[in-house]
Amino acid sequence: MGNTVISMVEPVTHSGSTDSVIRAEDVHKYYELGDSRVHALRGVSMEITRGEFVAVMGSSGSGKSTFMNILGCLDQPSSGRYFLEGIDVSTLEKKQLAAIRNQKIGFVFQGFNLLARTTALENAELPAFYARVSQEERLRRAKTALQMVGLGDRMDHFPSQLSGGQQQRVAIARALVNRPSILLADEPTGNLDSRTSVEVMEIFQKLNEEQGLTIVLVTHEHDIAQFCKRAVVFRDGTIRKDDLISNRSIAADVLKTMPVLED
Amino acid sequence: MTEILATIRIALRALARNKLRSGLTMLGIIIGVGAVIAMVALGQGAQEQVQQQIAALGSNMLFVMSGNMNRGGVRLGMGNTQNLVAADEEAIVRECPAVAMAAPGSGSGVQVVFGNDNWGTQATGTEPQYFDIRDWPMAEGVSFTNEDVQLAANVVVIGETVRKNLFGATDPLGQTVRINNLPFKVVGVLTAKGQSGAMGNDQDDAMFIPITTLQKKVTGQNWLRFISVSAKSKNETYAAQQQIEALLRDRHKLRGGKDDDFTVRNLADVAEVADQTGRVMTLLLASIASVSLLVGGIGIMNIMLVSVTERTREIGIRLAIGATEDDVQRQFLIEAVTLSIIGGAIGIIVGLLVSYLIPQVLGWAASVSMMALVIAVVFSFAVGVFFGYYPARKAARLNPIEALRYE
Ligand SMILES: Nc1ncnc2c1ncn2[C@@H]1O[C@H](COP(=O)(O)OP(=O)(O)OP(=O)(O)O)[C@@H](O)[C@H]1O
Ligand SMILES: [Mg+2]
């Protein structure tokens, strides 16, 4: 059903290269607060192609989350245009946006945002439920995703029975279950200790390398950004810097040098 | 369909998480539905009983009573005037073409003694036609005869309750009982008619003797309390009533605007009035009970609103991972409907139980109709939809970003 909603969308309104996954054109975002107006994004233009691994950085309040919410179709730009795989998202209706969030985007949050009192497996299969996928297929996909993030033995655990790193891995599995074209992560390691953070980055690197998944990740830490391929720096709602990362860290290697803390 | 089932499963789990709260919320619906079913059962039970009672009086039947009961009934009670006499009864049979049969009646409270047992009951003096008019056959023996009436014979026909209390296992036919110290021979036992009326009058706690015997030997009075009349057919009851009224006014010399000193009751009218009264009463009971169903519905709405607020974050998560507004709305609506349907189901059981217990404990009649059950189910579903809609809508309309940020 989700698929039909997307196929109902006008095919391609505008498109850069065929590999363009994200294309933002002069995106502005205002928040009206009484009389004053907060200008959170002041003309952001950016293109991200398939297989990229982008770190979004910048000081607090610079507009990173606002931008991510727009990329994730949780929010709409006040002006400017945003194309997701060539589709002009601002033309879509709520139902179609929900379908896009469901099918094309995997979102990982700083606070995990798992459903409480719901097992890891059920959490992971939830997007497939809303995609009207059959129960067997849902289970199969959720199990595969959980195994992929190394939680094959914790499927029946509730979030309250999992560590922060494990909860974040359930959230990643959930983000992957509908095989999205892009994974968005807003400070996914913000609540994790350094070793667990690297473990999560290892999963992201693996997804990016092995499956060619496009990833955009917000982080405050340079160490974490170092695992990505490209770093975009925000300041006051605009892009200050946009560089490729040199001397890229490989999480699997870094992990070998880190001491293992006993649980 | 499997999707709806899955949503129902989610709803049940959400409700199970707060068992006490869900239980209390359901209690409103349980009481509401239970009350509606029990009240309607009581109303219909009373209605049916009144109709049975009226039917038990015999078809085509008219009832002439002494005294005027059409003016508030306060001035002259039934049988308190002395101007209805045996000659009136004879005249009715003779001169009213629509009348098939008539039987006079007068009564007295008496003590009946058989051996060492005695029993207080009502002795009604009448003629044999009375049993035909009332469509009341003998279970054993025969009625007294017109000859017995002419001779003022000491013979008696007894009701089932009298038989049970005086004779037990003994065969009453041919036995002699003493009524106010006079010996009477039992010639017949009437079939049981059972309880009647909301007050539980026992129609079988009665005995019948020739009218002449009653007047000459028991009461010493020659006036009648009533005359039972049977019209030739159901269609002629109204004509019979008119003819009797005209005849009696003439015989009692009531001229011009003078009020009747008798009352003619037509059972078809009585039945209709009783039916309407019963229906109004049932409706009244049902509407009072529906108020509690309404209150139950408001309880559901209240708890669903609390639930939506508490689960704002959950709603945010669902919206963020691709649930549509319809998905979220359906989820909460199904939750509300599940609450109300389960409450309704338990309410039906409670209502049935109460409808079963009331006749046992209070002796009132109760009659559960399939219709009332169907309406109860439909209503509890409707209550869930109606009172669940707004909270569900509210949940679906949440902004996902704000919902995710909600603490
Ligand atoms: N719902 C809102 N209403 C009003 N102002 C908002 C809202 N959301 C964000 N802002 C403002 O927009 C600006 C950008 O916020 P945003 O959350 O995007 O920053 P950020 O870069 O993610 O910061 P952090 O690193 O602290 O998460 C801030 O000034 C913030 O106060
Ligand atoms: Mg932020």
Side-chain angles (χ1 to χ4, degrees), chain B residues 143-351:
Chain B
S143 158
F144 49 79
T145 61
N146 283 320
E147 201 180 4
D148 290 328
V149 176
Q150 273 164 28
L151 299 174
N154 286 10
V155 286
V156 60
V157 168
I158 61 175
E160 171 63 18
T161 303
V162 176
R163 185 200 66 75
K164 220 180 339 182
N165 283 287
L166 280 184
F167 295 98
T170 316
D171 178 10
L173 292 184
Q175 302 282 5
T176 301
V177 294
R178 302 188 78 83
I179 299 173
N180 289 5
N181 259 333
L182 290 169
F184 280 77
K185 194 173 126 195
V186 178
V187 293
V189 180
L190 288 158
T191 49
K193 274 209 184 247
Q195 300 272 343
S196 88
M199 300 301 145
N201 267 337
D202 182 0
Q203 299 190 74
D204 297 321
D205 188 6
M207 51 200 293
F208 299 89
I209 59 179
I211 178 76
T212 45
T213 315
L214 182 92
Q215 290 179 332
K216 287 176 188 160
K217 299 180 180 172
V218 182
T219 60
Q221 298 162 337
N222 72 340
W223 40 274
L224 303 177
R225 276 227 300 217
F226 64 87
I227 300 169
S228 291
V229 180
S230 166
K232 284 200 169 124
S233 74
K234 203 160 189 166
N235 295 335
E236 282 171 282
T237 46
Y238 186 67
Q241 182 171 355
Q242 302 273 303
Q243 292 161 8
I244 292 167
E245 278 167 0
L247 177 72
L248 289 184
R249 279 188 73 82
D250 187 47
R251 289 181 60 82
H252 293 185
K253 306 201 159 45
L254 303 168
R255 298 275 130 74
K258 244 181 157 186
D259 286 332
D260 289 350
D261 59 0
F262 60 91
T263 306
V264 183
R265 279 281 147 86
N266 173 343
L267 276 190
D269 292 349
V270 174
E272 194 171 311
V273 169
D275 198 41
Q276 268 171 16
T277 314
R279 223 172 295 156
V280 168
M281 186 177 84
T282 305
L283 204 69
L284 200 71
L285 287 173
S287 15
I288 292 170
S290 320
V291 172
S292 55
L293 193 58
L294 189 77
V295 173
I298 294 171
I300 287 191
M301 184 146 161
N302 187 24
I303 233 54
M304 289 310 295
L305 284 173
V306 170
S307 177
V308 167
T309 307
E310 276 179 358
R311 286 151 70 191
T312 298
R313 214 178 156 82
E314 172 194 329
I315 296 163
I317 295 170
R318 289 182 186 275
L319 290 170
I321 62 170
T324 60
E325 288 190 4
D326 288 352
D327 288 328
V328 172
Q329 180 165 342
R330 192 177 311 123
Q331 181 189 339
F332 280 87
L333 204 54
I334 285 182
E335 220 170 289
V337 170
T338 305
L339 259 182
S340 69
I341 288 273
I342 295 177
I346 301 175
I348 286 175
I349 295 170
V350 170

Side-chain angles (χ1 to χ4, degrees), chain A residues 31 33 38 40 59-66 187 220, chain B residues 405:
Chain A
Y31 292 106
L33 283 178
V38 180
S59 56
S60 192
S62 57
K64 306 182 294 295
S65 293
T66 305
E187 301 192 46
H220 281 270
Chain B
R405 248 190 237 138

Side-chain angles (χ1 to χ4, degrees), chain B residues 42-153:
Chain B
L42 272 184
Q44 288 191 334
Q47 222 173 317
E48 280 172 22
Q49 204 175 34
V50 168
Q51 292 305 324
Q52 275 167 14
Q53 195 185 336
I54 290 166
L57 290 173
S59 48
N60 312 346
M61 191 178 157
L62 291 143
F63 213 59
V64 183
M65 293 165 285
S66 66
N68 189 320
M69 312 227 308
N70 292 331
R71 288 169 311 164
V74 186
R75 237 179 73 178
L76 301 165
M78 165 176 167
N80 284 349
T81 52
Q82 309 186 352
N83 37 30
L84 202 61
V85 293
D88 288 332
E89 186 254 336
E90 285 155 20
I92 287 172
V93 179
R94 203 172 50 237
E95 292 176 30
C96 299
V99 169
M101 293 181 282
S106 197
S108 171
V110 294
Q111 275 308 117
V112 202
V113 181
F114 175 68
N116 290 327
D117 296 315
N118 80 70
W119 183 250
T121 184
Q122 177 84 13
T124 300
T126 186
E127 291 174 356
Q129 292 84 338
Y130 179 78
F131 305 108
D132 296 328
I133 294 169
R134 287 205 56 186
D135 201 9
W136 198 357
M138 298 295 144
E140 302 167 54
V142 291
S143 158
F144 49 79
T145 61
N146 283 320
E147 201 180 4
D148 290 328
V149 176
Q150 273 164 28
L151 299 174

